[in-house]
Amino acid sequence: MRKWEDNLRRVEPYIPGEQPQSQDVIKLNTNENPYPPSPKVEEAIRSMDLGTAMRKYPDPESGKLVRALAEYYGTDRDHIFVGMGSDDVLATAFMSFFNSDNPIVFPDITYSFYPVWAKLYGIPYKEIPLYGDGFLLRPIDYGYIDPDGDGITDESGEAVTNGGVVIANPNAPTGIMLSRKDIEKILIANPDVIVIVDEAYVDYADESALPLLPDYENLVIVRTFSKSRAMAGMRIGFAIASPRLIRVMNDVAQSVNSYTKSATSLEAAVASLQDEEYFRARIDDVLRTRARTVMELKKRSFNVLPSSTNFVFAAPTWTTGEDLYDGLRERDIYVRHFSKERINNYLRITIGTDEQMNDLFAAIDDIHA
Ligand code: PMP
């Protein structure tokens, strides 16, 4: 074996959903928005001086977008970090905040990128099983203050020493939402470490952890423009947290790459924030189709988990998840299947347009005929 083989980093990468290049497929596998972004976004890009935008490096501080986000969320600029999609923001947060010898914790069924970053950065981690067939996240599993005054313990009375906490809320791929009150319980039980709440899908849910920020300096909320803002191709995500944490994230990010956000993406993101009416209308469209999808799948004997996202997690009772995935794929409908214990009978189905969902229902009927 060649000597340098010893020095190669061996990692098991995250496997994203397929991106078939043909336009003729129905793509319900990566939770993209079926609608385009606001027309104002395209207008903003077209009205840019593209020659200059391409010639020059972009603003490394994403100043204009940071200002726009601060205004949108009613906070100050030093509370906002912008990254190249929320994957970049999350990776930066892992690198910035998880330097303890104690394991960070996250659910056993959640965004499968979390263990990949933990391994890449050498962060010890522990997966905490979601509870029961309903895949519920119980805050008590992340520690609680012992009423006898023995500090923070688990149910058996053992001291809890988390190195950090990561919660996707709503969770993926289950789609299930934890209340703000429950998020606060997790924060109360983890005062000495950073708690990341990944709110990639929160615009489709009832409430966010944002109101907790003033009270918890160790809370980091991560958001994306990829789902509700229909800009997955532009790669913009951001974090909202206390200025101390944002400073550290900026220092870490600037130690890897100064220019991660393209000039066009930054302009597009600012324009998206300026069309609230369009944004709300498209969310309502997805929510309406989601309600219909849940009903239609239940009619077809699926077990459907309650969704607070732009996808549903559903298991057919009459075939396996894998066979149904294959059957749909043969009919050019792409959904997501995870070959993982406990959830391998489920499919994660992105909410598309009504027309796309009708094609999905027809394909299911065809397979089950
Ligand atoms: N968090 C969760 C829970 C997700 O499902 C995704 C989408 N794969 C992301 C973060 C990352 O999305 P993006 O990098 O496009 O912002």
Side-chain angles (χ1 to χ4, degrees):
M1 205 167 78
R2 290 153 304 190
K3 190 86 181 121
W4 45 258
E5 284 280 348
D6 293 346
N7 298 332
L8 301 182
R9 189 181 294 279
R10 286 171 178 79
V11 286
E12 225 179 282
Y14 171 76
I15 303 165
E18 285 168 273
Q19 293 293 114
Q21 295 305 306
S22 158
Q23 297 295 320
D24 297 334
V25 306
I26 295 182
K27 200 174 165 308
L28 307 174
N29 68 334
T30 51
N31 301 338
E32 289 147 333
N33 200 313
Y35 306 105
S38 157
K40 289 194 178 157
V41 171
E42 197 173 320
E43 249 170 62
I45 294 180
R46 285 188 193 283
S47 65
M48 284 174 80
D49 173 356
L50 287 174
T52 304
M54 288 190 279
R55 182 174 60 76
K56 286 171 62 183
Y57 283 110
D59 175 7
E61 290 170 6
S62 309
K64 194 168 161 188
L65 179 55
V66 167
R67 278 196 299 282
L69 283 166
E71 192 175 321
Y72 188 88
Y73 288 103
T75 185
D76 291 323
R77 281 182 256 171
D78 54 1
H79 289 258
I80 310 258
F81 170 90
V82 172
M84 185 181 29
S86 59
D87 280 341
D88 178 46
V89 178
L90 287 161
T92 303
F94 271 57
M95 223 194 298
S96 302
F97 304 133
F98 298 151
N99 291 296
S100 160
D101 291 334
N102 293 325
I104 63 165
V105 290
F106 44 80
D108 61 339
I109 296 161
T110 189
Y111 187 31
S112 41
F113 225 137
Y114 302 154
V116 174
W117 288 313
K119 282 185 221 163
L120 177 65
Y121 299 135
I123 301 164
Y125 68 93
K126 191 167 82 185
E127 294 176 317
I128 300 192
L130 291 175
Y131 182 74
D133 294 341
F135 304 107
L136 296 180
L137 191 154
R138 298 187 311 179
I140 202 172
D141 293 331
Y142 293 75
Y144 73 111
I145 297 181
D146 190 333
D148 299 331
D150 273 346
I152 292 158
T153 69
D154 65 14
E155 274 183 299
S156 67
E158 287 284 311
V160 165
T161 49
N162 297 331
V165 182
V166 190
I167 304 288
N169 198 41
N171 197 11
T174 63
I176 295 173
M177 177 82 186
L178 201 61
S179 70
R180 181 155 65 227
K181 230 173 157 172
D182 281 346
I183 292 286
E184 186 162 19
K185 285 183 195 160
I186 293 173
L187 283 159
I188 290 168
N190 291 274
D192 298 328
V193 294
I194 303 302
V195 176
I196 298 176
V197 180
D198 175 357
E199 293 194 335
Y201 299 101
V202 81
D203 290 324
Y204 299 103
D206 294 335
E207 59 181 17
S208 157
L210 280 175
L212 298 173
L213 279 169
D215 294 328
Y216 296 93
E217 251 187 305
N218 60 328
L219 168 63
V220 180
I221 295 178
V222 178
R223 298 274 191 106
T224 180
F225 278 63
S226 297
K227 319 292 180 181
S228 55
R229 293 197 177 274
M231 286 173 45
M234 301 309 281
R235 311 307 300 130
I236 292 288
F238 61 100
I240 312 185
S242 57
R244 173 80 186 109
L245 299 188
I246 294 298
R247 264 200 312 278
V248 176
M249 287 183 80
N250 274 315
D251 287 348
V252 168
Q254 298 287 331
S255 304
V256 178
N257 186 344
S258 311
Y259 305 109
T260 53
K261 288 85 56 185
S262 75
T264 40
S265 295
L266 292 171
E267 280 303 316
V270 169
S272 168
L273 292 172
Q274 289 164 349
D275 197 349
E276 185 68 10
E277 197 181 328
Y278 179 94
F279 174 63
R280 293 288 157 202
R282 295 296 81 73
I283 289 174
D284 287 347
D285 288 341
V286 168
L287 293 183
R288 215 173 304 118
T289 308
R290 182 178 83 192
R292 211 185 118 230
T293 302
V294 170
M295 213 173 63
E296 293 294 332
L297 290 175
K298 284 186 173 166
K299 254 197 246 168
R300 289 165 175 80
S301 301
F302 280 71
N303 182 22
V304 188
L305 297 186
S307 168
S308 294
T309 61
N310 67 338
F311 58 85
V312 292
F313 205 45
T317 53
W318 39 269
T319 184
T320 65
E322 195 166 359
D323 282 352
L324 182 56
Y325 168 87
D326 289 340
L328 290 172
R329 220 190 122 122
E330 280 161 24
R331 290 162 179 80
D332 284 335
I333 298 179
Y334 285 64
V335 298
R336 194 89 196 260
H337 175 254
F338 299 90
S339 306
K340 183 175 170 138
E341 225 185 305
R342 293 183 77 193
I343 56 168
N344 58 16
N345 220 28
Y346 279 83
L347 297 181
R348 194 195 67 190
I349 305 169
T350 304
I351 303 301
T353 60
D354 277 315
E355 202 181 14
Q356 289 175 321
M357 298 327 267
N358 288 343
D359 287 349
L360 170 78
F361 307 141
I364 292 171
D365 290 341
D366 188 33
I367 291 165
H368 193 34

